[in-house]
Amino acid sequence: MKELIGIIIFCALSTYAQPTIKCTMAPHFKLDMTTLSKLKATGNDKLVISLTCPNNTDTIKPECKTTANNPSFTFNLTQCPANYTTNGTHLTVAYYIWRMPHFSTTVVVRRYEALWICLECVFPKKQMIEFGKIIPQIQKIKVFQAMANGHFLLDFGFYASSNYTTKLVAGANINVPNNVYAKISLAGVPKSVASFIVQTIQCWATDVKDPNAPRRYDLISHSCPADMYTWSTRNYNSTYATFHFSSFTWTNVSISIQAIYVHCMVCICDLNLNATCNDLTCAPRKRRDVSTKASQTISAGPLYITPHHTPNLCDQSGCSDICTMIGGMPVCSCTGGLVLADDLKTCVAFADDVFSSNSMFLYILGISVLLVVGAYFWKKKEF
């Protein structure tokens, strides 16, 4: 006795109910009763995602198979086999779901129709993602086809330090020339997915929200730091990219409206389809040519600028009691019968057996200087 496997083909009709399709980094498919009926799938019949009709479902990943009793799939984008095609502007990822009838192990002869459907996710290539390889199409036979649009999300923000744990809110203040820490990451990506690489191609700052504003300062150029005040700490090697730069003020812009907006041109590359995704060299005169890359421009900000002020030198003088700014310099003095020690900073109790003649000389000299300089500035103030 032999197995008889036939292929039944149905044409796509607009009257067919469509299964539920969610196209994201973790696609979700749920087949409705109409779809199951067309597949003749019931009870413990298996539903598997495979490019071709599988002879044995034991080798299929758990995420890529289920039963008609629970006809839904949720998996990572590249976890189940698919057919990838592109027309230059969009990437189409086609998944083939096969119905494998449930048989008793005592059955000697199996006769069934191998039925399948094709579900497609379409991603705008120009928006977020670049695939450098097309997997050849295996076959085009299908029961009917359903399609949905999908997208990837990027998170772009500023952080308080290089550990990137405390995110700054929009409108935060930054003191010049303190560093500004920026991070761009794929949002909602499972930890098990490491093949998608964030490539930061260009980054620039503007004083207003418009990325095309005429007042512009380049931070990242050709995927590498544009000047000595910008540092790229991670790029072309993970699901996120980080960089930081020394903050600044804009020339000929009022202090009251000083702000920094940062804009970046970003690409997402899949290592499974392009082995050069993490290939980046920032050596002089050897920067990448990215003119042909499809990319998306994202923005973050504003950060409001607080110019750097000269600190109060008395805070750094080390005076143990009183500190007075005289002529722009800190001068220490004491109260309550205390006197300055040899370091002219620390106040101690006055005693003949404690202080040497040298200490007394320095104390008298310090008081004299205080009086003379004070008198000078008092007379200057009167005039």
Side-chain angles (χ1 to χ4, degrees), residues 167-226:
K167 193 172 185 179
L168 301 179
V169 298
N173 288 289
I174 188 77
N175 292 322
V176 176
N178 290 352
N179 286 334
V180 176
Y181 297 91
K183 181 178 180 179
I184 304 171
S185 58
L186 274 171
V189 179
K191 292 183 178 180
S192 59
V193 177
S195 62
F196 290 100
I197 303 299
V198 173
Q199 299 176 330
T200 304
I201 311 302
Q202 307 278 350
C203 288
W204 64 98
T206 59
D207 65 323
V208 293
K209 189 175 182 179
D210 183 8
N212 299 313
R215 185 177 280 108
R216 162 180 173 150
Y217 184 78
D218 288 334
L219 303 170
I220 301 291
S221 179
H222 299 282
S223 306
C224 299

Side-chain angles (χ1 to χ4, degrees), residues 66 91 99 114 140 144 160 163 180 183 244 246 290 318-319 337:
T66 185
L91 172 75
R99 164 252 186 178
K140 299 180 69 173
F144 59 90
N163 58 17
V180 176
K183 181 178 180 179
H244 63 275
S246 179
V290 295
C319 294

Side-chain angles (χ1 to χ4, degrees), residues 243-258:
F243 65 93
H244 63 275
F245 60 92
S246 179
S247 59
F248 53 84
T249 57
W250 300 98
T251 304
N252 298 325
V253 175
S254 173
I255 292 297
S256 61
I257 58 174
Q258 286 276 350

Side-chain angles (χ1 to χ4, degrees), residues 267-285:
C267 287
I268 306 300
C269 189
D270 188 354
L271 273 174
N272 292 330
L273 301 176
N274 185 350
T276 64
C277 285
N278 54 2
D279 180 18
L280 174 64
T281 302
C282 285
R285 303 180 183 178

Side-chain angles (χ1 to χ4, degrees), residues 49-53 81-83 94 96 98 135-136 138-139:
I49 298 178
S50 176
L51 290 175
T52 59
C53 181
N83 184 33
Y96 303 93
W98 295 79
I135 299 176
I138 305 301
Q139 54 186 8

